Amino acid sequence: MRGFLTKEGVTILENEYSKVKVNNEMDFCSVTEPKVKIKLEKAFMRARVSYFLRWEKPSLMSKIFGGGKDRIVFCINSAQLETADEVLKELGDIEGSIKMLRTKSNNMIGF
């Protein structure tokens, strides 16, 4: 371990993982209805599933040929996939309103 002293006199230690960027997020599912989004968010919070939302605007073709609603993608840590699946099973009544993705996320947040 290496360390350095700040001007306040605090020693900051660096370990071998300090500079490693980890990207283990996955696109878990997407929704288009605000009520479904709120129910899913509350369920994830109760189950302590860490997530963030990515908002996607509809394409021009989608706007022309059908509805064209904003799509909200729920991104989760891949280590919590099993817990997130259990949350969805418990919310059986809204399962049809959710499109499952389960793909590696290409988010570039913070990089």
Side-chain angles (χ1 to χ4, degrees):
M1 275 201 212
R2 285 185 22 193
F4 60 93
L5 197 60
T6 65
K7 64 182 177 183
E8 292 85 16
V10 177
T11 302
I12 306 288
L13 296 176
E14 288 185 347
N15 63 25
E16 60 189 79
Y17 301 109
S18 294
K19 295 181 181 162
V20 175
K21 299 231 186 243
V22 177
N23 187 10
N24 53 3
E25 288 87 24
M26 64 182 298
D27 294 348
F28 179 66
C29 66
S30 68
V31 299
T32 55
E33 298 298 325
K35 287 181 182 179
V36 174
K37 173 191 141 316
I38 290 169
K39 282 185 180 182
L40 191 53
E41 280 186 301
K42 287 180 180 179
F44 276 170
M45 284 189 263
R46 270 194 309 275
R48 303 182 66 78
V49 174
S50 177
Y51 71 93
F52 68 93
L53 302 176
R54 188 177 68 239
W55 294 74
E56 296 179 348
K57 298 286 182 191
S59 67
L60 179 61
M61 295 302 278
S62 174
K63 287 180 183 177
I64 292 171
F65 292 113
K69 294 182 176 183
D70 285 353
R71 185 170 89 137
I72 306 155
V73 178
F74 279 80
C75 302
I76 65 168
N77 184 306
S78 58
Q80 293 185 305
L81 178 60
E82 200 172 300
T83 306
D85 282 335
E86 289 173 15
V87 167
L88 274 188
K89 285 179 188 169
E90 292 171 8
L91 293 175
D93 60 326
I94 66 167
E95 221 172 325
S97 305
I98 299 171
K99 180 180 178 186
M100 297 309 298
L101 301 172
R102 288 191 181 100
T103 58
K104 178 83 173 132
S105 186
N106 291 322
N107 298 313
M108 299 304 287
I109 296 172
F111 294 95

